[in-house]
Amino acid sequence: MDSEKNSSGIPLYTRKNRKGLSSYAWLGFVLVALVASATVLQQCYSPDRAIAGRLGKAGAAAAQPKCPSVGIHRPETYDTYKKTLDKIMNDEGFRNESVSKMQHAVRIDTSSFDDLPLDVGSNLPLFEHFDVFLDSLRKDFPLFHEHTELHKVNHHGLVYIWQGSDESLKPLLLMAHQDVVPISEDSLAKWEHGPFSGDYDGKYLYGRGSGDCKNLLISHFEAVEELIKAGFKPKRTVVFSYGFDEEILGPRNKNAEFIEELYGAKSMYAVMDEGGVSMMEISGTTMAVVGTGEKGYLDVSLSIQKKGGHSSVPQDHTAIGMMGSLIVEIENDKFPTYFVEKNPTFYQYVCLAEHAVDIDPLLKQDILNSQIDEQANANVREFMNRDRFTSYAIKSTQALDVIHGGVKYNALPEFVELVVNSRVAVEESVTFAFKKFLKDAETIARQYNIGLSAQFPYSNGTEVVILPATDVGIMTVKPITILEPSPVTAANDMHWKIFAGTARHVYEELAYPDRFNNSDEQVVVTPGLGTGNTDTKLYWNLTDHIYRYRPGVLPSVNGNSHGINEYIEFDSHLQCIAFIFEYIQSVDEIQD
């Protein structure tokens, strides 16, 4: 039977039938090839369930969480530099100059390839395009380079220090990365503008890196130059850090180590890096989602080794056949789901429940009661888990990405390996995820009566899990790459108030004053979860306040980041400059 639907064809949110967030999808930001998208969640009220909750009104109200929304924040120096902000946002001459600088950056191919050697110093010709990029930065931003001190780390990592007058204040750390995702030769014909053309049509600027994330890097330089021109002199030191291999997981990036050696652990006021969600319409509400946490990362190898031989006399189950059974077992064994306050996604949904105009009142009640009512929690998790994108935010994922085995058509395979990538939920750990895959492997090993050994995360040795009863074969499970889920940045302190409040000011009073100034509508700035990882994974030891956010009109994935025809709506770039211009001033005015 077809599910009950509203007039728009969207499934109703009911106890009996809750289809996925078919009209709202959580958008995480992108690392390597992970992509997500967001749409609008409509109000779908079902009259067959009473709105009254299972708890008394007083008890429910006392226990319901609150959206960490904040008021608009302007720096005290706003009036002093208001003309400069107006120039950034509205002056056609400034816009054209900014376009030219972005074009220069995009036209330099700074692709990072997976097979680049780890030893940069012995392979400098392979990285020389970053020298070209630095030369371009020096040419386009002479004031920035005149007023900052550049430290080159591991040859091509860039750390700039804009020294403040008060060394008792913790420095602010602003980040981006220089490198971009390579272009597939097979895709060139599908690019409407050349991938490194930097073409500009008056509204959009095209090319690789325009959205991920040369625009963020260039906005730092432009904002600082405008501050210098306006006579601003920082009390709080500002550090700028730019890696050159973020798109290949950042193993050559030594910038964080350098900064920690220079300033010490927990020495930064806050870190701001790229993020995938800028500003979007969700259920009739304008929201900006700041990444205050990231999922963990695990690559795990599962291999089967057994006797080979001539394929004319095969065993009943070859290593490839056994691996096929393991693949089915892994994919059918799903990770559990969570909807808890530890996960920033929780507060994103709380904000949605409090502010969304079109949200189903039943869903709103379940979200707000989810921490005191097990059934409400289960309802929300089921609702989110029905949609592929929203489910990513509330559970660990598993992607079977690489498999190889066998060498000849008429020879039985002696070795088969599967590599699974898991993005680990913030409620779990790398070890938890690893043990799930080990459990799957044990099921298949016992089914085929083969041995099983495992190298656990953080262990140097191999542990025998099942002794092989015969010489049929042995399965081995071991981690390749591990990264625990990140610490989660608080969204209830002055750091958050300034960051989120600055975003509201840029959007509501500078970018879209006609829309927001004369209405009750506001931009709701919420915490969110990154389903991928940025270079911030290297900076956890420097601060407890990490914000993964790139101001702008569209989420970066909507601009085809990592894909064909990458572009940025240029208003996004100007908004980013304005945000950095104001954020530096605002954190300069407070004590730690």
Side-chain angles (χ1 to χ4, degrees), residues 13 41 49 64 349-356 359-370 376 380 383:
Y13 179 82
L41 182 136
R49 176 194 155 210
Q64 285 179 352
Y349 273 75
V350 169
C351 292
L352 184 70
E354 286 189 16
H355 292 276
I359 190 171
D360 188 310
L362 308 180
L363 174 57
K364 175 177 180 176
Q365 177 185 313
D366 280 341
I367 291 171
L368 296 179
N369 289 344
S370 62
V380 177
F383 186 54

Side-chain angles (χ1 to χ4, degrees), residues 226-488:
E226 291 306 313
L227 283 167
I228 293 170
K229 291 175 186 176
F232 175 81
K233 296 181 180 179
K235 293 192 294 289
R236 185 186 300 275
T237 295
V238 185
V239 179
F240 304 86
S241 180
Y242 308 120
F244 61 100
D245 64 345
E246 192 272 349
E247 299 294 3
I248 48 176
L249 303 183
R252 300 157 196 80
N253 188 338
K254 308 301 179 185
N255 290 11
E257 296 175 20
F258 172 82
I259 294 169
E260 186 171 348
E261 288 178 4
L262 200 61
Y263 292 100
K266 302 300 180 185
S267 57
M268 298 291 110
Y269 165 83
V271 165
M272 176 186 172
D273 194 15
E274 63 175 329
V277 180
S278 300
M279 187 171 69
M280 63 171 71
E281 295 295 321
I282 302 175
S283 195
T285 301
T286 305
M287 300 185 77
V289 184
V290 179
T292 56
E294 287 181 339
K295 298 177 81 171
Y297 184 102
L298 168 66
D299 289 323
V300 60
S301 164
L302 302 102
S303 62
I304 299 175
Q305 190 169 359
K306 67 190 306 285
K307 275 187 177 180
H310 202 284
S311 60
S312 63
V313 285
Q315 309 104 337
D316 289 341
H317 303 285
T318 68
I320 291 177
M322 294 177 181
M323 185 61 76
S325 296
L326 178 57
I327 288 171
V328 173
E329 181 68 21
I330 290 172
E331 292 200 329
N332 287 340
D333 181 22
K334 308 296 185 184
F335 280 96
T337 58
Y338 308 88
F339 191 66
V340 296
E341 294 184 64
K342 181 178 181 179
N343 189 330
T345 300
F346 170 79
Y347 282 101
Q348 182 187 349
Y349 273 75
V350 169
C351 292
L352 184 70
E354 286 189 16
H355 292 276
V357 176
D358 297 328
I359 190 171
D360 188 310
L362 308 180
L363 174 57
K364 175 177 180 176
Q365 177 185 313
D366 280 341
I367 291 171
L368 296 179
N369 289 344
S370 62
Q371 304 309 291
I372 54 176
D373 187 319
E374 292 182 1
Q375 186 59 53
N377 191 287
N379 294 338
V380 177
R381 286 187 286 115
E382 181 185 352
F383 186 54
M384 295 178 67
N385 199 40
R386 292 291 184 90
D387 183 275
R388 181 161 63 97
F389 294 111
T390 57
S391 68
Y392 291 163
I394 61 170
K395 66 181 180 183
S396 295
T397 59
Q398 51 189 23
L400 283 64
D401 289 333
V402 178
I403 187 169
H404 55 80
V407 294
K408 203 172 187 299
Y409 294 157
N410 62 351
L412 300 176
E414 296 177 339
F415 181 82
V416 181
E417 182 184 35
L418 169 71
V419 178
V420 182
N421 175 253
S422 176
R423 302 305 172 103
V424 182
V426 295
E427 298 85 356
E428 295 175 348
S429 67
V430 165
T431 298
F432 181 96
F434 180 86
K435 287 182 177 179
K436 182 269 184 194
F437 296 118
L438 182 60
K439 174 174 67 73
D440 296 335
E442 183 174 356
T443 298
I444 301 306
R446 293 192 184 280
Q447 177 182 332
Y448 290 107
N449 197 29
I450 62 175
L452 175 64
S453 64
Q455 179 184 322
F456 285 84
Y458 312 110
S459 171
N460 294 325
T462 300
E463 178 179 325
V464 176
V465 179
I466 302 174
L467 285 170
T470 67
D471 62 352
V472 174
I474 187 167
M475 186 183 299
T476 302
V477 184
K478 61 182 181 180
I480 301 173
T481 307
I482 61 175
L483 175 70
E484 294 293 347
S486 77
V488 175

Side-chain angles (χ1 to χ4, degrees), residues 555-571:
S556 60
V557 69
N558 287 19
N560 299 329
S561 290
H562 287 210
I564 296 170
N565 296 319
E566 182 175 343
Y567 71 92
I568 185 173
E569 186 170 343
F570 206 77
D571 283 351

